[in-house]
Amino acid sequence: PYPHSSRNQTKLQRIKRKIRIIMGTSYAPNIVKDGLVFYVDAANPRSYPGSGTTCNTLVGSNEGTLQSSHMFENINMGAFALDGVDEQIDFANSTNFPVDYEDFTISLWFKADPTDWGNNFERGIFSFGDGTGAGNEFKITMYRYTSDDDARITIRMANWSLYNPGNMFNVWHNVTVTHTNGDRPTGTRTVRETFFNNVSLENRSIYSVDLGTANPIIGNRSNQRFKGQIGPIMIHNKKLSNSELTQNYNALKGRFGL
């Protein structure tokens, strides 16, 4: 009775895909969009077309500059590939970023390359803030001690936290940090929680943080550049709930083999 139902369904699927591309969510259609203020994903041609030195956020109007036009790798639908020498992505004149004493959630996917990493060496994955002190910056880095088995993910915001979840190289991982801020003038402490592949590693009380207005950088921390691939990076201007964190993780884990 419905001879064209299959064809109509295919047409409907094409229309839905076009809508997702227009909205910038075709490569992670089920992510939490409420509060999303920064979203970069090399797999989406609206964020990065696969060549050139400009990338764009899929929400807002932030524009990033790649230090090389050869920083794209066609793996896992698309990722930024950094050589650990002189490559990074800078976002100038960024807007809608968490500043002062605001709540936020930052989540990113990465795969580290151990080649020429070096011992007792730290490499920056993502950072922003004015950098005038430990309380004025946010950084996600990776630190390798004397072997690949002793590599750690590090979070800096008001103080350092180092985690060694194991098997850090040559596989994709997700790290997510949620932050509930306080009010520094009144001495209220804030809460920072770190998740690794959707498992909570630490829920820590820290001093209140003023992140200033410095622009975000992908792949570098004080000239210590990341070597490997970086997937989607998302920032929400609120602390996501545990169910929202799981929703984001589940939306992307299949793409990265988790």
Side-chain angles (χ1 to χ4, degrees), residues 56-67:
N56 297 285
T57 56
L58 293 168
V59 293
S61 57
N62 295 321
E63 183 178 285
T65 301
L66 285 68
Q67 300 301 309

Side-chain angles (χ1 to χ4, degrees), residues 10-191:
T10 301
K11 182 178 180 180
L12 178 60
Q13 290 172 341
R14 289 199 300 267
I15 293 173
K16 287 182 176 179
R17 183 178 184 276
K18 288 181 180 179
I19 291 173
R20 290 197 299 268
I21 291 175
I22 291 171
M23 294 180 65
T25 59
S26 61
Y27 297 91
N30 297 316
I31 64 171
V32 176
K33 301 174 185 66
D34 180 36
L36 186 65
V37 296
F38 182 90
Y39 180 26
V40 172
D41 187 353
N44 192 316
R46 287 187 60 241
S47 183
Y48 186 68
S51 62
T53 58
T54 299
C55 69
N56 297 285
T57 56
L58 293 168
V59 293
S61 57
N62 295 321
E63 183 178 285
T65 301
L66 285 68
Q67 300 301 309
S68 166
S69 61
H70 306 287
M71 292 173 58
F72 176 79
E73 190 168 352
N74 191 21
I75 60 170
N76 304 95
M77 299 180 70
F80 291 113
L82 291 82
D83 63 6
V85 179
D86 57 5
E87 295 179 337
Q88 64 188 61
I89 305 174
D90 298 287
F91 286 84
N93 304 316
S94 296
T95 59
N96 299 325
F97 255 68
V99 296
D100 297 330
Y101 306 101
E102 298 177 349
D103 294 357
F104 62 81
T105 301
I106 295 178
S107 180
L108 61 83
W109 292 80
F110 72 96
K111 183 173 76 169
D113 181 348
T115 309
D116 300 322
W117 192 279
N119 293 334
N120 298 309
F121 196 79
E122 181 182 20
R123 294 181 184 265
I125 303 174
F126 181 78
S127 65
F128 73 96
D130 64 26
T132 58
N136 298 85
E137 59 187 345
F138 174 89
K139 296 180 180 180
I140 298 176
T141 68
M142 188 170 158
Y143 194 97
R144 181 187 184 278
Y145 283 87
T146 58
S147 70
D148 291 353
D149 294 331
D150 195 11
R152 308 183 184 194
I153 195 76
T154 63
I155 310 296
R156 178 169 181 168
M157 187 176 67
N159 52 34
W160 284 97
S161 292
L162 289 86
Y163 315 100
N164 184 3
N167 194 25
M168 293 292 293
F169 289 105
N170 292 323
V171 290
W172 283 97
H173 293 296
N174 171 258
V175 59
T176 298
V177 180
T178 65
H179 178 245
T180 305
N181 217 332
D183 182 6
R184 178 177 286 177
T186 63
T188 304
R189 295 176 70 87
T190 74
V191 177

